[in-house]
Amino acid sequence: MPLLVMKFGGTSVADLARIENAAKKVQAEVERGYDVIVIVSAMSGETNKMVGFVEGTSKLYDAREYDAVVSSGENVTAGLMALRLQEMGVAARSWQGWQVPINTTSAHSSARFISIPRENIDAKFAEGFKVAVVAGFQGVSAEGRVTTLGRGGSDTTAVAFAAAFGAERCDIYTDVDGVYTTDPRITNKARKLEKIAFEEMLELASLGAKVLQTRSVELAMRYKVRLRVLSSFEDTDENSGTLVCDEDEIMESKVVSGVAYSRDEAKVTLVRVEDRPGIAAAIFGPLAEAGVNVDMIVQNISEVEVGSVKGATTDMTFSCPTNQVARAQKAMEDAVAAGTITYDGIVVDSDVAKISVVGIGMRSHAGVAATMFKALSKENVNIKVIATSEIKISVLIDRKYMELAVQALHDAFELEKV
């Protein structure tokens, strides 16, 4: 039998009525002739409730017990989904991570997949079962302890199962009906995309688009798993939603496919850092060790003493999430105390936003940067930092201009047009 993987997020299984609605979608695929692996998240709000229980019980908690508690929500959903399918006459059973088994590393709360053996689930399909309902977000370590994959891990679970079982497609059911050119809450001109390339989706996910978890897109791109994003609250067919696929499946891409934004950004500048070989490593090594997620990096032209390169200094600017600024400052202060770097001061601007245009068409078209900068200039939006890659241009701007910038760029690249 051909096989599909279907994943339902927390809002899609938030109560018994929504679980029944999701089960009907699974039943429809079984009636089309598919065997189905269903990956479920915890019911909406349950994981946060479990986290609260752990933190209320133990401030310095054992990470292994944390995973045992917070993974329980998915077990409940899997059992309820299997029961509902059985009531509808569909041969189904639930699977917890250790029963598959989903083998992972022992990094609790951020485990990674090692292997997903097919034998146990394949044996049940061979017996006549049509649906395997698997608890997402969880696995089992070599020590036999329950592990979790980090928030949003059910998306990654779904893609991993699609890769392991050679699924025809992996459908991600959520509370939106696809991937849009930008956030429809910012501009009503936002258009749902029929298809988007893995690389574009990966950039959009990493830049703040909340539709898919970044790790799931990375995994899908590596194993060529065709993803489809669609709404669990609407009637759907094989043409619904947005297909995330290989670039070769897209006949001709627009130069820019989407505009992404992140409002929770900060710009950090180290003033008058010594300009010498190894200084970047001396700065960004400690930041990495402190868990600071550095994104955009700009180094200014050196200030050099007249007649000599001795005493050359530079300003080093980088961006990071606003909630990591204190950690970044502490890492730099520790580096100064250790004698690995010196600087005159740290300047932090926490009132910025990152705006990015993304598109695989940039590889073969010139002028994208010029169009972007002209559009922002027309709206008197000042650019603080610029960073580019092969398919992306990102800028930092004052946060108060974020929505204006998104609207202006969406119009400049005519993304409302097919």
Side-chain angles (χ1 to χ4, degrees), residues 97-380:
W98 64 270
Q99 294 173 305
V100 175
I102 303 171
N103 298 311
T104 74
T105 62
S106 301
H108 289 274
S109 301
S110 58
R112 292 190 170 268
F113 295 108
I114 295 174
S115 65
I116 301 177
R118 296 181 47 160
E119 290 78 6
N120 290 338
I121 289 180
D122 278 344
K124 289 300 177 183
F125 281 141
E127 289 176 17
F129 281 82
K130 302 303 296 178
V131 179
V133 186
V134 180
F137 175 60
Q138 63 178 246
V140 61
S141 69
E143 295 78 27
R145 298 300 300 257
V146 172
T147 57
T148 62
L149 309 174
R151 300 308 290 265
S154 292
D155 282 355
T156 310
T157 304
V159 175
F161 269 82
F165 283 79
E168 185 175 300
R169 194 179 62 244
C170 178
D171 288 347
I172 307 289
Y173 284 85
T174 181
D175 53 2
V176 297
D177 62 349
V179 180
Y180 280 74
T181 50
T182 196
D183 190 338
R185 295 171 297 182
I186 289 184
T187 174
N188 57 14
K189 294 181 181 180
R191 175 177 57 86
K192 183 167 71 71
L193 297 166
E194 180 184 341
K195 293 181 179 181
I196 186 170
F198 289 125
E199 290 175 88
E200 292 172 319
M201 190 67 244
L202 183 59
E203 290 285 8
L204 291 173
S206 66
L207 291 166
K210 301 294 192 293
V211 180
L212 287 171
Q213 197 238 22
T214 306
R215 274 178 64 192
S216 70
V217 184
E218 290 174 345
L219 203 61
M221 184 164 65
R222 185 185 312 163
Y223 292 101
K224 306 297 183 188
V225 173
R226 299 168 82 243
L227 290 175
R228 190 171 62 147
V229 179
L230 61 174
S231 172
S232 57
F233 307 123
E234 298 179 1
D235 293 333
T236 56
D237 57 31
E238 60 273 14
N239 297 314
S240 299
T242 298
L243 183 66
V244 186
C245 57
D246 195 75
E247 184 180 339
D248 295 341
E249 289 194 51
I250 302 174
M251 288 288 287
E252 188 168 349
S253 297
K254 290 178 72 76
V255 178
V256 170
S257 295
V259 180
Y261 67 89
S262 174
R263 68 175 78 245
D264 299 319
E265 297 289 324
K267 180 169 73 79
V268 181
T269 300
L270 301 182
V271 180
R272 293 180 63 83
V273 178
E274 183 184 2
D275 191 9
R276 58 173 172 78
I279 190 63
I283 292 171
F284 295 105
L287 289 171
E289 291 170 6
V292 177
N293 184 20
V294 172
D295 182 20
M296 307 166 79
I297 301 172
V298 175
Q299 181 175 345
N300 292 342
I301 297 172
S302 297
E303 297 178 8
V304 184
E305 289 185 358
V306 177
S308 172
V309 295
K310 184 180 179 181
T313 62
T314 183
D315 293 345
M316 187 76 78
T317 298
F318 61 88
S319 67
C320 69
T322 51
N323 61 4
Q324 296 179 8
V325 169
R327 200 183 306 169
Q329 290 177 302
K330 178 66 164 55
M332 294 297 90
E333 290 166 4
D334 290 347
V336 170
T340 55
I341 63 171
T342 60
Y343 53 81
D344 286 357
I346 300 181
V347 178
V348 176
D349 183 356
S350 295
D351 195 25
V352 296
K354 179 170 62 180
I355 310 293
S356 306
V357 295
V358 176
I360 55 176
M362 290 186 195
R363 291 176 179 151
S364 54
H365 289 79
V368 176
T371 301
M372 181 179 189
F373 301 154
K374 184 177 179 181
L376 294 176
S377 175
K378 279 182 64 177
E379 301 295 341
N380 292 316

